[in-house]
Amino acid sequence: MTLHSSQPSDAADIDARYSRQVLFAPIGAEGQRKLGSSRVAIVGMGALGTVLANHMVRAGVGFIRLIDRDFVDRSNLQRQMLYDEEDAASTTPKAIAAAARLSRVNSQVVIEPHVTDLNALNAEELLQDVDVILDGTDNFNVRFLLNDVSQKHGIPWIYGGAVASRGVALTILPGETPCLRCLFTGAPAPGTTETCDTAGVIGGIIHFVASFQATEALKLLVGAREQLNLGMQQWDLWFNQQSAIRVGGAKKADCPACAKEQYDYLDAIVDSDTIQSLCGRNSVQILPVVPHSGPLDYWETRLKPLGPVEKNRFLLKFSPTPDIQMILFPGGRVVIQGTDDVIHAKSLYSRYIGM
């Protein structure tokens, strides 16, 4: 699904909605036209992603791809600014809800939502044709995947993260700055880092981090590279702390990604990553290597005799027991809520869907 209308036919005709942005001299009319012809991908449409998408759409970036595997839940509404109670009640996928809301904000922008799990199978297809990749994820494995695509295809990306009252952001330029694997050898072990589900999060740090990311993206898109902030920025808004770490000297001559062009996350054996416990969510995601072709109507008919079923045009919920809910998406991706035991989840999937 793509939501859009055409750009103004006269390249010199800049919509009055951008008048205050054009008055800002570092952007100006020429910068605004560059934004209108730019392409951005936002991976993750949770807290950071919604702020990022809001900034990009209102700034007039011409094409924006929204990528998210999740759906709106009531617990999201405290900090994920594009969603409302109706979205949560109807279990609307985040990418769809965000695209619908933002298309009413700026009809000049092409908004392309993808309800999918970004993985080694689809990452290049979804990311290699954009000018900037913006990180709205909460998953280090996905960030290393973004880093691989960035390094392989020469696309800048902007890392961001937030938990509790703390946030971090870093702009990564392929061939110029250290990449993520120069700074971190690998993803932290599950359970060793705080998440929004274990430590909470306040809305202010979300907007702080994402607004920094969005501003860095605007600098890249209008060509103001000399103004980029290339240090790793860290903030704690509650305890009034701020720091910037110079990372220029951290570029490694033996980095697997940016030095050796070895893209371990992009070239990963997909089967090993198809079953994931979703940290802090008491849920397991199962992504079939070969997508299922059966439509949701088929699964509704098959599963209804076995337990309660709810379906909309984006997903189907099935409850085989009172404490387990299986959420099926087109193509066969399933999120099993009520357990973080991968073996139990795999057993449920095998029983009701088939491996």
Side-chain angles (χ1 to χ4, degrees), residues 42-102:
I42 302 172
V43 181
M45 286 304 300
L48 291 174
T50 52
V51 179
L52 289 167
N54 186 60
H55 280 308
M56 294 295 98
V57 167
R58 291 180 186 273
V61 173
F63 175 93
I64 301 170
R65 182 173 292 135
L66 310 179
I67 305 166
D68 193 281
R69 67 188 180 189
D70 211 349
F71 46 86
V72 181
D73 179 83
R74 193 172 179 84
S75 67
N76 302 148
L77 303 181
Q78 167 254 348
R79 64 199 181 281
Q80 299 184 16
M81 64 179 297
L82 296 178
Y83 311 129
D84 57 30
E85 292 179 353
E86 184 177 341
D87 296 323
S90 61
T91 323
T92 305
K94 291 180 180 180
I96 300 296
R101 179 66 50 81
L102 292 170

Side-chain angles (χ1 to χ4, degrees), residues 42-225:
I42 302 172
V43 181
M45 286 304 300
L48 291 174
T50 52
V51 179
L52 289 167
N54 186 60
H55 280 308
M56 294 295 98
V57 167
R58 291 180 186 273
V61 173
F63 175 93
I64 301 170
R65 182 173 292 135
L66 310 179
I67 305 166
D68 193 281
R69 67 188 180 189
D70 211 349
F71 46 86
V72 181
D73 179 83
R74 193 172 179 84
S75 67
N76 302 148
L77 303 181
Q78 167 254 348
R79 64 199 181 281
Q80 299 184 16
M81 64 179 297
L82 296 178
Y83 311 129
D84 57 30
E85 292 179 353
E86 184 177 341
D87 296 323
S90 61
T91 323
T92 305
K94 291 180 180 180
I96 300 296
R101 179 66 50 81
L102 292 170
S103 69
R104 297 194 293 272
V105 170
N106 192 343
S107 61
Q108 295 181 356
V109 173
V110 177
I111 304 172
E112 185 182 275
H114 289 262
V115 184
T116 190
D117 179 76
L118 191 81
N119 55 63
L121 286 173
N122 61 17
E124 288 186 275
E125 178 185 355
L126 289 172
L127 300 177
Q128 67 178 332
D129 64 344
V130 299
D131 302 303
V132 176
I133 301 167
L134 296 177
D135 170 25
T137 75
D138 58 1
N139 183 304
F140 254 95
N141 284 316
V142 175
R143 289 179 178 130
F144 282 117
L145 187 60
L146 302 185
N147 190 70
D148 275 2
V149 175
S150 165
Q151 297 303 314
K152 183 175 181 179
H153 295 281
I155 304 167
W157 75 285
I158 305 174
Y159 159 55
V163 66
S165 59
R166 303 186 303 279
V168 61
L170 176 67
T171 299
I172 296 175
L173 307 178
E176 299 179 44
T177 69
C179 78
L180 195 66
R181 291 198 71 183
C182 290
L183 303 172
F184 304 101
T185 56
T192 61
T193 59
E194 292 180 316
T195 71
C196 294
D197 297 278
T198 60
V201 65
I202 58 172
I205 191 61
I206 298 297
H207 287 258
F208 208 89
V209 172
S211 293
F212 176 89
Q213 290 177 278
T215 303
E216 289 291 283
L218 293 182
K219 294 175 189 177
L220 282 165
L221 295 174
V222 303
R225 288 193 165 218

